Amino acid sequence: MKQEPPARTIPLDRDEEAAWRAIARAVLVVPKTLDADLLAGCGLSLAEYIVLVNLSEAPGGPMRMNELAAQSTLSASGVTRLVERMERQGLVVREQAAGDGRGMTAALTEEGLERLHEAYPYALASVRTNVIDHLDGLDLATLAKAVGSFATAGPEPGPRRRARRTAA
């Protein structure tokens, strides 16, 4: 006798499917649009802007590179390459983490803070045009809570990734 599939495998209804597809499309399209708007407006990529924002909001100044990677949703190697490039531009400085010879930190420079202030109007205009203006009439606090509840959960490494890690 066959058992019923778990509740998580029941097909989505029409509204659930529409919501899922809209979220999936937004996750792909909105960052590309924001990136293009920032590049055209001020010459910063979205990734660079996010790094500058995170560093500007870091309590106590410098951020460890692994924390910066997690906050920016970049890989550790991706954020390292980006921060190295930004350091060459004078936007950030990298240093050994205090009390930890292995770790590195990044901190915002005055020039980086100035670039962030220059970029902010372009980022704000893009976010308003491409996101906020489309949410008229929605309860934004509820939306933020709902999206935040699944957007903060990082995926666990799958069997293939774990196998590669342990094999290395």
Side-chain angles (χ1 to χ4, degrees):
M1 181 177 241
K2 281 190 169 180
Q3 291 182 335
E4 287 293 314
R8 302 287 90 193
T9 61
I10 294 172
L12 301 176
D13 66 29
R14 176 173 280 151
D15 290 340
E16 290 170 332
E17 184 72 30
W20 157 241
R21 288 181 184 217
I23 290 168
R25 180 148 176 79
V27 166
L28 297 172
V29 172
V30 170
K32 290 177 186 176
T33 304
L34 298 178
D35 187 61
D37 289 348
L38 279 165
L39 284 168
C42 64
L44 281 179
S45 70
L46 179 58
E48 291 167 326
Y49 181 78
I50 289 170
V51 165
L52 293 177
V53 167
N54 280 296
L55 290 175
S56 76
E57 295 173 346
M63 270 182 95
R64 293 182 69 85
M65 295 293 283
N66 62 339
E67 293 170 12
L68 187 55
Q71 290 295 318
S72 64
T73 67
L74 294 171
S75 67
S77 61
V79 82
T80 297
R81 287 189 302 274
L82 179 61
V83 168
E84 286 172 353
R85 189 169 65 244
M86 293 173 76
E87 185 176 36
R88 288 191 298 272
Q89 296 170 2
L91 304 177
V92 301
V93 293
R94 291 181 311 142
E95 296 178 343
Q96 291 289 141
D100 180 3
R102 297 175 298 157
M104 295 293 289
T105 63
L108 196 59
T109 63
E110 285 299 318
E111 188 176 342
L113 185 58
E114 187 176 311
R115 281 298 300 279
L116 178 59
H117 287 174
E118 291 169 4
Y120 178 71
Y122 298 99
L124 181 58
S126 186
V127 168
R128 285 202 176 280
T129 300
N130 297 296
V131 180
I132 300 300
D133 290 352
H134 300 276
L135 304 177
D136 190 38
L138 296 178
D139 179 348
L140 295 182
T142 301
L143 176 66
K145 185 176 179 182
V147 172
S149 71
F150 64 81
T152 57
E156 290 295 319
R160 295 177 120 183
R161 290 189 126 166
R162 268 187 245 132
R164 277 192 223 133
R165 284 186 188 156
T166 56

